[in-house]
Each structure stands twice: as C-alpha cells, then as structure tokens.
Amino acid sequence: MKPVNIESIPVNRVLHPFPKVIIFEIVCGCNLSCIMCPQPKMTRPKGLMELELYQRLTKEIAEKDPETEVWATIMGEVFVRKDLVFDYLRFAKQEAHLKKVYLNSNLVLFREEWTDRLEESGLDKITVGLDAATEPTYNKIRVGGDFRTVEKNIHTLLEAKSLGRLQKLEIILQFIVQDENQHEEEMFKRKWTGRGVTIKVRQKLGWGLGVEAENLAIPSRDRTIPCPWLMRTMSIHWTGHVAQCDAEWNGDRYVGDLNKQTIQEVWLGQLLAKRERHLANDFDFDPCRDCKDWQCGRAEFYH
C-alpha cells in the first residue's frame, strides 16, 4: 500500500467562524458491508433525518455562509430510502440556494427513472464509491454490492450528460487504496480516463479505531499537524446530534444537539475548545489520542 506522504497532509491553522464543510447523515443505514467502513459494527440506532430539521439547518448555512460544502454521507446509503433524498437535495439547492451540495453513494440502488429527479435537484457533485476496476476485486471490498449494476448506473448518468442533461453535475468515481485493490489503481485510471468523469484516489481511513488502516503509520510522537477534519468540518448524525468527527461514527460522544442549538453555537462551543487544543499541539484526548485519520492527506483527482 502507498506510504503516507506527510507533504500531502493539509495544514490548517485557521479558526474559521463557521464550518467550511458540513456533513449531513440524512440516512443512517446501508445496503452494503464494505471492508473499509465500520458501519457493519455500528450499534447506535438507524434512521432518517427529519426534513424539517434539515431545512432549518440548511437555512442557517445559507445565512452564515452559502459557500459551505454540504455533503450527504457518514454511516448511510441515501438510496436505501429510495428517491426521498431528492427532496433534501432540492431544498438545499433550490430553496436555501446553497452553492456546493454534494452526495456520496454506492449507486447500487439507483434507478434510471430517477434521473429526472436528480437533474431537478440541482446537485453539484455525486461521488460514487467503486474502489475496483474488476468485478472480483469489487466483490472483495464492497460486500453485498453489484458491480455490473453500479457500472450500468454510471453509464446511465453519462448517457444523460451526453444528451444534454445533468450538465451541472460532476460525476466522481472514487478509488480508496487498500491491500485488496492496490494492484488495480492504474487499471482503474485507464478504464475511466476520458469517459466524462472525475477520478478520485484517496488513502484508506481508519474511522478513528473503526477499521485497521496500516497505511497511516506516522508515530503520534512526531505529530505537529492539527486534524484537517476537526479544523474545517462538522458531522451531523441523523438525530441532529453533532459528532466531533468521523472517528465518532458510533455516536459514543456528542458535542452538541442541533434540535436545541444552532450550527454556529455548536461550532463555537466544545468544538472550538478542541480545535484550540490541536493548535497548541495537544492531541491527548478522546478520540484524537489514538486516531490516525489526520494523516490521510489530500485525495488525488484526475479529470
């Protein structure tokens, strides 16, 4: 596996007054059991974020900073709830007028007849978790998925673009490098280059202590870099509770409750105190003490 390149790790020492990235867990629960994701081990309840809560929060984002990136992801596949996600995406784009609304999906459950709703939503980017150039490798990584269905759905989106639809939508195919697929990285790039997609290659995350990530091998004693996720990102679980970061995927500790607070109140509360500790090179608290995800660095993009 690729060694960690410390030069690729973004160094952010700015205390932003509002998150630069907000991740909404619109749906908690997934149709796959991917080997690089801790979702199969999750014990907290699964569910759907209330649309009213989502609308209130996206309105606050629009008021504070409409350039904030808004993602629909964390521990869920949105199409588990069929086409309901388009109501959320459409509100963020058409009602709240947010500039950067993005979606992550394994695309297994997507249906061709939803292409119109996808276009109407105004979604800016969709990142498709693929992680393989061949079906056998896909089956090892994305357990429970269907390689041929995913490729068919990708071609459906590309065909729609060729016909003049989905013109504003950027389609990103993601390849998370790990032991099981690293031999296919160059094949993956060759396969999809020139097809009208963006190729994204990134290191494997550990999700805190959620999964093994041997590629993240910089010793803690050598650390002087604040966590890029903590410094810029807020993670909102489907219940409205705010997790410090991806390492709190199971909801063991929360730093705020957006059913009672605003995004800015939470961002400038416990999260600010944690960011200040990182700026002082103090990482000796949970979950940062043992987490290595700060090492992942920037993804590589090929257009």
Side-chain angles (χ1 to χ4, degrees):
M1 193 180 299
K2 287 183 178 180
V4 173
N5 177 10
I6 197 166
E7 298 299 323
S8 73
I9 302 174
V11 180
N12 187 331
R13 300 188 185 279
V14 178
L15 289 173
H16 299 288
F18 196 76
K20 306 304 290 183
V21 180
I22 296 179
I23 307 175
F24 282 96
E25 186 181 67
I26 293 175
V27 174
C28 180
C30 190
N31 56 317
L32 304 188
S33 297
C34 301
I35 62 174
M36 67 292 187
C37 178
Q39 188 272 150
K41 300 187 292 186
M42 186 176 66
T43 58
R44 64 182 170 93
K46 301 175 182 179
L48 172 72
M49 178 175 285
E50 293 183 3
L51 181 58
E52 183 178 355
L53 172 63
Y54 177 84
Q55 290 173 337
R56 175 171 65 79
L57 297 176
T58 50
K59 285 180 181 178
E60 181 186 353
I61 297 169
E63 293 170 359
K64 298 295 183 181
D65 186 359
E67 295 286 342
T68 295
E69 294 182 14
V70 171
W71 288 83
T73 180
I74 310 184
M75 290 288 106
E77 163 56 48
V78 293
F79 293 121
V80 166
R81 295 298 185 115
K82 299 185 178 180
D83 59 344
L84 187 62
V85 68
F86 297 121
D87 294 335
Y88 293 72
L89 301 177
R90 186 183 182 283
F91 184 87
K93 288 297 297 183
Q94 311 298 343
E95 303 293 332
H97 303 293
L98 300 184
K99 305 297 184 184
K100 301 174 181 178
V101 179
Y102 307 150
L103 175 66
N104 275 39
S105 174
N106 58 50
L107 217 63
V108 173
L109 300 176
F110 183 80
R111 298 179 183 175
E112 183 176 357
E113 58 263 32
W114 296 343
T115 305
D116 287 342
R117 294 210 65 192
L118 176 59
E119 183 173 24
E120 291 167 359
S121 74
L123 182 69
D124 297 296
K125 294 182 183 181
I126 182 168
T127 298
V128 181
L130 195 49
D131 304 317
T134 65
E135 186 170 7
T137 298
Y138 178 90
N139 290 340
K140 291 177 184 177
I141 295 172
R142 294 203 158 256
V143 179
D146 188 320
F147 183 72
R148 296 183 184 183
T149 295
V150 176
E151 287 206 330
K152 174 179 174 290
N153 286 334
I154 293 169
H155 290 305
T156 293
L157 299 182
L158 292 176
E159 183 178 0
K161 288 181 76 71
S162 72
L163 295 174
R165 304 166 65 193
L166 302 175
Q167 289 303 294
K168 296 181 179 179
L169 178 66
E170 181 181 4
I171 301 169
I172 302 172
L173 303 186
Q174 180 168 265
F175 188 96
I176 300 174
V177 181
Q178 46 205 298
D179 289 339
E180 292 77 7
N181 69 357
Q182 58 183 345
H183 63 287
E184 290 191 359
E185 180 180 342
E186 295 306 318
M187 188 192 310
F188 184 86
K189 294 175 187 175
R190 290 194 301 270
K191 180 175 182 176
W192 292 105
T193 295
R195 304 291 295 276
V197 301
T198 298
I199 299 168
K200 178 182 179 182
V201 178
R202 73 165 177 84
Q203 290 275 354
K204 179 182 178 182
L205 282 170
W207 292 89
L209 301 179
V211 295
E212 292 292 329
E214 300 87 350
N215 52 309
L216 308 179
I218 299 174
S220 299
R221 64 178 178 275
D222 296 336
R223 181 178 183 181
T224 60
I225 299 175
C227 178
W229 281 271
L230 178 64
M231 297 301 292
R232 302 182 73 249
T233 304
M234 174 179 284
S235 299
I236 306 172
H237 288 182
W238 71 274
T239 56
H241 292 88
V242 178
Q244 174 181 313
C245 56
D246 64 286
E248 296 287 8
W249 52 272
N250 202 34
D252 296 319
R253 290 172 291 267
Y254 285 120
V255 295
D257 182 356
L258 294 173
N259 296 288
K260 304 173 183 178
Q261 299 169 278
T262 65
I263 292 172
Q264 190 161 51
E265 285 172 346
V266 175
W267 183 248
L268 298 180
Q270 291 185 51
L271 282 174
L272 175 57
K274 294 174 184 290
R275 296 197 299 277
E276 290 174 336
R277 290 183 69 173
H278 272 225
L279 288 177
N281 285 338
D282 175 9
F283 314 108
D284 191 21
F285 58 95
D286 291 329
C288 306
R289 183 181 295 107
D290 300 310
C291 180
K292 297 181 179 180
D293 287 352
W294 61 274
Q295 301 179 27
C296 277
R298 296 182 178 89
E300 300 170 9
F301 292 90
Y302 304 89
H303 299 279

